[in-house]
Amino acid sequence: NFSMTERLFTELRIVTEYLKQIISPRIGGFSLFHDDYVISHSLTQPLSTLGALIFLSSLALAALLLRHRMGWISFGILWFFAGHLMESTIFPLELYFEHRNYLPLFGIAFLLAWSILSIYRLSRSIRGKVLTVILSMIIIGQMVFVSRAESELWGDPFRQAMVWGHERPNSARSLLQMGKLLYSADLVDVTLELFDKYQGLNPEDPTAQLVKLKILCDHPESGIVVDEAFIQDVTRKQGGNKA
């Protein structure tokens, strides 16, 4: 539901967020579902699109200007951009997919590591070296803490679905995943409420109505009303298929 121009504008903000995820990861900041991401319709709608363009252009310019004096900075920045060159530009793929950041993050990790090492080597006092080591330990500690928390979340699919559903209430996919697990726990009323919200976000998607039919078959006492208008609406959304 976006044009090529809108995709390119939106990717400016997304690539900036990819960079933020590398430099400052946070618990709960990762997910498979980003179908609720706000599309940029122009450089000023939203205004953060223009800010992202200025920021990324400045990074690219810095990489070019520093390629002889500080090659590690140029390498790190250009590696990051090269890693996103295909999937975050003109190809009409999903807008946001965190796995695209795996290879590009090496460039930023290299840049940070080399910069800290350079500061350590240039520090002439013991205090400066100690502060550099402490900074390194803080960064590594943050990575370990976030990685452990995310691993535990991925190891508990039910809690993961609940967390993603609450963190991304406008994501149809996260609501769908959450609804499946709620229904598997026999929480029928909560599931129906959730799929009503799903249908509100996706009025032309028959998924919520098909789920209601499934619930009605399993729980005739649920009070779901299936009349001729309901059947016709579902049939229309499936292209005339009543199966």
Side-chain angles (χ1 to χ4, degrees):
N1 60 339
F2 52 84
S3 67
M4 180 58 67
T5 302
E6 288 174 331
R7 173 182 169 78
L8 291 172
F9 284 151
T10 307
E11 287 298 336
L12 292 170
R13 292 166 41 232
I14 292 175
V15 170
T16 302
E17 287 196 24
Y18 287 150
L19 185 59
K20 181 181 177 181
Q21 282 185 328
I22 298 171
I23 296 175
S24 181
R26 63 179 181 85
I27 297 174
F30 302 92
S31 172
L32 284 177
F33 307 124
H34 295 280
D35 51 301
D36 58 339
Y37 199 84
V38 177
I39 295 173
S40 293
H41 300 291
S42 70
L43 282 175
T44 56
Q45 295 181 341
L47 189 58
S48 56
T49 309
L50 179 59
L53 174 62
I54 295 172
F55 172 69
L56 295 177
S57 299
S58 299
L59 276 184
L61 181 61
L64 294 176
L65 294 177
L66 296 174
R67 66 187 186 277
H68 296 303
R69 289 180 295 161
M70 299 180 178
W72 77 89
I73 294 179
S74 295
F75 172 81
I77 294 173
L78 294 177
W79 180 285
F80 174 78
F81 283 143
H84 285 296
L85 191 60
M86 182 172 69
E87 293 177 301
S88 298
T89 51
I90 62 173
F91 295 98
L93 305 169
E94 294 245 356
L95 287 173
Y96 197 132
F97 198 59
E98 290 176 0
H99 291 65
R100 296 173 187 166
N101 214 19
Y102 286 175
L103 184 61
L105 70 80
F106 172 78
I108 304 302
F110 175 86
L111 188 157
L112 291 174
W114 193 277
S115 297
I116 291 173
L117 180 60
S118 298
I119 294 173
Y120 180 86
R121 288 174 173 172
L122 292 173
S123 297
R124 298 183 178 180
S125 65
I126 298 297
R127 182 181 179 182
K129 292 182 181 296
V130 170
L131 289 176
T132 305
V133 172
I134 293 174
L135 174 62
S136 302
M137 298 305 296
I138 291 174
I139 294 173
I140 294 172
Q142 180 194 26
M143 300 291 182
V144 170
F145 184 73
V146 173
S147 295
R148 178 180 175 83
E150 286 295 318
S151 296
E152 290 176 347
L153 186 65
W154 278 79
D156 188 346
F158 191 89
R159 184 168 71 91
Q160 183 188 60
M162 298 302 106
V163 170
W164 286 357
H166 285 103
E167 287 185 346
R168 291 175 169 79
N170 295 320
S171 167
R173 291 175 181 171
S174 66
L175 292 180
L176 184 61
Q177 178 73 1
M178 187 177 178
K180 288 179 180 179
L181 289 174
L182 286 172
Y183 188 61
S184 69
D186 212 27
L187 299 171
V188 179
D189 292 339
V190 180
T191 303
L192 285 173
E193 182 181 342
L194 195 69
F195 277 103
D196 283 339
K197 184 174 182 179
Y198 177 91
Q199 189 169 357
L201 290 172
N202 302 268
E204 290 303 311
D205 185 347
T207 300
Q209 291 161 299
L210 294 173
V211 170
K212 288 182 179 181
L213 289 174
K214 165 68 175 171
I215 294 175
L216 181 60
C217 292
D218 295 341
H219 301 273
E221 75 286 354
S222 60
I224 299 173
V225 177
V226 178
D227 53 18
E228 185 61 28
F230 183 98
I231 297 298
Q232 289 180 358
D233 190 43
V234 174
T235 303
R236 178 186 63 81
K237 292 175 182 177
Q238 295 190 109
N241 179 17
K242 288 189 177 182

